[in-house]
Amino acid sequence: MLVLLVLLFLIVALVGYLIGVYNGLVRVRAAVKLAWSNIDVLLVQRHDELPKLVEVCRQYMRYEADTLDRVMRARAGVDAARSSGNPGSLGAAERELRSGLNGLYAVAENYPQLKASEPFRHLQERISGLETALADRREVYNDAVNTNNVRIDAFPDVLVARLGEFPPAQLLHFQADQKSDVDLSAAFSR
Amino acid sequence: MVGPQLLHYGIAAVMAAAGALLALYNFFVRLRRDRLVADTPPVRIRSAAQGYVKVSGRAAAAGASPARAPLSARPCVWWDYEIARLERDRQRSQWHTIESGASVELFALIDAEAQCLVGPVRAEITPTTRSVWYGTEPRPLGPPPSSNPLWRAGDWRYTERLLSAGDHLCVMGELRSHSELGDVNAATAAKLHEWKQDQQALLARFDVNHDGKLDAAEWEAARLAAARASQSQTL
């Protein structure tokens, strides 16, 4: 009788533990999705702001159509990558957009009237603010991805993860360019 | 017919099983909480999305000056306290809680770039300071001694738990923007105004000495209750 009770207790403990592990895996998977959604919100906001910035610049920059078009093409690329939900392609598209924006800001130095205009300054600050928030949320996303990936590979969680649908998530790397300084001379030579 | 020995054995077995189940339940509750803390990625306040978040930073007073702990008068951002009295009978002596309370005031959490307000009502708080000292009066005559005395002096026990300004905290909870939350102090005032519409009910609830009016201490109790009620609704 005592052995049966002990056995029953152990079974209850094991089942409870496995339920806890499963729920924990569901929670970290949901955290990854939530972190991605929080990045998505900011990408959409910046997507809406960029045409306004380009339009303001176009009023002053008569001979910089290539620079402006590059930003708009990169914007479309980011939007496509965002819709696909693929961190790898989003990272590449984001790299292209940031490079385009850096070029735009560098060229804007040649147009004092543009730099002094209130709409340009406001939009530049707004977009910079969104990019700062994006960088912060990318850290949160990568944190969530790391937690998810460690959990689904660690013992004993790996046993439960293999029974359910818990794929590894992909880290989000925005840019290799971010590690190097912006090439201002190249930007000014355009 | 069940023998008395077998009955005792059965009772002991049931009690042991209940104890084991309770320990197991506590284990799962703690495991779940620890995993929730470990698995929730920390966010920066300046870029945090609304919803359930984990933020860390330093505690600070929400207003111009920090609060004062009710028993020791030490400056702090959050407190709770308990006053207990030792009651003895022939067989044993036991501590009975005579009075207890907890701060309902908001305090600020500041990280490297921004700050948010923290509502402590219904929060599970691990204090950074916990003091227990003893005395002979229902209220302590001074702050806790700097070192624990070798023997207990008196039948009154004072327990105070504090969070102080500058303490490093990790806070988990629902984050709301200021525009969505509104002014919590205004919400407290509105709640008090609502209660004042029914004077009889207000007196019945807070007029402890039954003199037909609210003195300063009773009004403070009403204000704390209103703050607690408004925070429960908004936070």
Side-chain angles (χ1 to χ4, degrees), chain B residues 124-139:
Chain B
E124 183 185 340
I125 295 176
T126 305
T128 50
T129 305
R130 182 174 183 274
S131 306
V132 181
W133 70 109
Y134 300 88
T136 54
E137 302 294 326
R139 305 290 294 186

Side-chain angles (χ1 to χ4, degrees), chain B residues 17-32:
Chain B
L21 284 174
L22 186 67
L24 186 67
Y25 173 77
N26 284 333
F27 167 74
F28 282 131
V29 167
R30 284 176 182 271
L31 183 69
R32 185 178 183 280

Side-chain angles (χ1 to χ4, degrees), chain B residues 155-193:
Chain B
D155 286 349
W156 291 88
R157 185 182 68 192
Y158 320 111
T159 306
E160 199 171 62
R161 306 188 313 146
L162 308 177
L163 292 177
S164 302
D167 286 347
H168 190 84
L169 304 180
C170 175
V171 177
M172 295 179 72
E174 289 288 327
L175 184 75
R176 294 275 176 268
S177 70
H178 188 264
S179 57
E180 187 180 338
L181 195 60
D183 186 345
V184 177
N185 289 332
T188 302
K191 180 61 74 179
L192 273 176
H193 181 73

Side-chain angles (χ1 to χ4, degrees), chain A residues 9 12-13 16-17 21 27-28 38 132-133 136-137 139-140 143-144 147 151 157, chain B residues 9 20-21 24 27-28 31-32 35-36 38-39 41-44 46-49:
Chain A
F9 178 79
V12 168
Y17 184 74
V21 168
R27 197 170 53 238
V28 293
N38 289 337
T132 303
D136 289 350
R137 290 195 184 178
E139 282 181 13
V140 176
D143 235 348
T147 302
R151 284 288 297 269
D157 298 22
Chain B
Y9 174 76
L21 284 174
L24 186 67
F27 167 74
F28 282 131
L31 183 69
R32 185 178 183 280
R35 283 213 150 148
L36 185 66
D39 292 345
V43 302
R44 295 184 192 207
R46 70 174 179 190
S47 57

Side-chain angles (χ1 to χ4, degrees), chain B:
Chain B
M1 185 98 181
V2 179
Q5 262 193 331
L6 198 58
L7 187 66
H8 287 155
Y9 174 76
I11 291 171
V14 167
M15 285 175 69
L21 284 174
L22 186 67
L24 186 67
Y25 173 77
N26 284 333
F27 167 74
F28 282 131
V29 167
R30 284 176 182 271
L31 183 69
R32 185 178 183 280
R33 190 187 63 180
D34 291 351
R35 283 213 150 148
L36 185 66
V37 173
D39 292 345
T40 305
V43 302
R44 295 184 192 207
I45 297 170
R46 70 174 179 190
S47 57
Q50 300 201 34
Y52 195 81
V53 295
K54 178 168 87 177
V55 290
S56 53
R58 300 212 168 268
S65 57
R68 292 271 166 187
L71 301 184
S72 64
R74 287 176 289 184
C76 61
V77 296
W78 175 87
W79 49 261
D80 85 350
Y81 75 97
E82 182 199 77
I83 298 175
R85 185 179 187 181
L86 189 63
E87 291 179 0
R88 298 182 179 89
D89 58 21
R90 286 182 185 170
Q91 286 163 357
R92 58 180 181 170
S93 51
Q94 210 171 3
W95 289 104
H96 286 277
T97 300
I98 306 297
E99 186 184 331
S100 64
S103 163
V104 297
E105 304 289 341
L106 300 174
F107 60 88
L109 185 76
I110 304 173
D111 71 3
E113 303 94 5
Q115 66 172 328
C116 64
L117 293 175
V118 179
V121 174
R122 290 186 300 168
E124 183 185 340
I125 295 176
T126 305
T128 50
T129 305
R130 182 174 183 274
S131 306
V132 181
W133 70 109
Y134 300 88
T136 54
E137 302 294 326
R139 305 290 294 186
L141 298 174
S146 52
S147 60
N148 279 333
L150 291 176
W151 63 89
R152 205 175 58 221
D155 286 349
W156 291 88
R157 185 182 68 192
Y158 320 111
T159 306
E160 199 171 62
R161 306 188 313 146
L162 308 177
L163 292 177
S164 302
D167 286 347
H168 190 84
L169 304 180
C170 175
V171 177
M172 295 179 72
E174 289 288 327
L175 184 75
R176 294 275 176 268
S177 70
H178 188 264
S179 57
E180 187 180 338
L181 195 60
D183 186 345
V184 177
N185 289 332
T188 302
K191 180 61 74 179
L192 273 176
H193 181 73
E194 179 190 324
W195 287 354
K196 280 201 278 188
Q197 302 307 307
D198 187 351
Q199 288 284 342
Q200 293 301 322
L202 189 67
L203 287 173
R205 187 170 170 192
F206 296 107
D207 183 16
V208 180
N209 56 11
H210 305 292
D211 63 352
K213 60 185 180 183
L214 295 182
D215 58 29
E218 290 162 350
W219 179 249
E220 179 63 13
R223 198 188 64 77
L224 290 176
R228 193 176 287 117
S230 60
Q231 277 191 50
S232 299
Q233 285 172 1
T234 55
L235 295 178

